[in-house]
Amino acid sequence: MAICGKYFEYNGKSSEELGLAIGFLNMKDEIPMGLARTVERGEVNQYRYRANHFGTTYDDVLVFELGLVKDNCDPDVDDIRFSRSEVREINAWLTSPKLPKLFHMTDYDDDDIDLELYDEYVDYFCTMTNVTASGNDEVTVLTYEVTCDSPFGYSQEIKRNIHATYAIPGTATIINNSDELEDYIYPTMKIIPQSTGEIIIENITDGRSMTIDVLASDIIYMDCQKLTIYDETKNLITFDDLGITDVDDIYWFRLCSGKNNIKITGNVDVEIKYREPRKVGAY
């Protein structure tokens, strides 16, 4: 079956606001997982019986269906059919975004549902790539094809704040519970210097660190996944401005799977933000 729940939020708006419920004309037994992979490998020949393996790649992103009907439990709903103006309003909301937006399904809270099955919070980033309408000469069900930006969903955004001084370095233990056990998470960081000078951000577990020069008045943002550094006005900051001379050896801060021991030296406050992959498909 496709993803189900009480209601959902998409691009900052809730389906409850429009009196919608999640429903389908034809329920399916299959739950999309989006985890099909292709093995990257060399050829087998008369001299090599065992192919060289170079890793795996996911075949595609996660795609699932979302069916919408009018909520019969809503006292304001007196007709299960959608009017043209209602179809317009719903489609304008769901199909206007051109880039992936945050999608979150709020799970059931009914006594007939085993809540232990819905023990994980999952967010998706997606766009609506198709819509079909069903009914007998009128529209009673709208079904959307939801295309995510990756093969899986994500945890809630996780934030960790670390305060450090030159006299007392800031330390923290961050547990990375990502479902990608052999990959790193590259977070975003907000660096707020309290004085001009040098700061060191180190992941002891990873055995690497980054050292940058900062000014007391300049807040720095670092997107370690996109390899970008910028200020509050979104202007890019050069490596020279940060006192980094060996660009080839720059360490982009990352979190290993499991336990990470973090140490920060300098008069600075650092906010670390990230999400962990969740391989639960549309469930």
Side-chain angles (χ1 to χ4, degrees), residues 170-234:
T171 59
T173 298
I174 296 178
I175 306 297
N176 171 12
N177 287 315
S178 168
D179 292 346
E180 281 286 326
L181 301 180
E182 297 186 1
D183 282 347
Y184 300 98
I185 286 180
Y186 290 85
T188 60
M189 293 192 293
K190 181 179 181 180
I191 301 169
I192 309 173
Q194 302 302 317
S195 65
T196 298
E198 182 181 88
I199 66 170
I200 303 172
I201 301 175
E202 179 180 8
N203 186 340
I204 298 172
T205 304
D206 199 21
R208 298 289 303 276
S209 66
M210 62 185 307
T211 302
I212 59 175
D213 295 332
V214 297
L215 299 175
S217 58
D218 292 345
I219 296 177
I220 298 170
Y221 296 86
M222 186 172 295
D223 189 327
C224 297
Q225 179 68 50
K226 296 180 180 179
L227 309 182
T228 56
I229 306 172
Y230 53 94
D231 60 21
E232 288 194 288
T233 63
K234 301 297 183 180

Side-chain angles (χ1 to χ4, degrees), residues 57-112:
T57 57
Y58 289 100
D59 292 349
D60 204 346
V61 298
L62 174 64
V63 179
F64 58 86
E65 287 186 344
L66 176 70
L68 298 181
V69 297
K70 286 192 175 182
D71 187 357
N72 289 328
C73 296
D74 189 328
D76 294 330
V77 174
D78 55 8
D79 190 341
I80 65 170
R81 299 171 300 177
F82 289 105
S83 66
R84 283 181 176 172
S85 59
E86 289 170 333
V87 171
R88 280 187 56 208
E89 184 179 13
I90 297 168
N91 283 339
W93 164 39
L94 295 177
T95 67
S96 290
K98 296 176 175 59
L99 296 174
K101 301 297 182 182
L102 178 63
F103 176 103
H104 177 72
M105 180 71 69
T106 295
D107 296 319
Y108 304 100
D109 60 3
D110 193 275
D111 292 338
D112 296 330

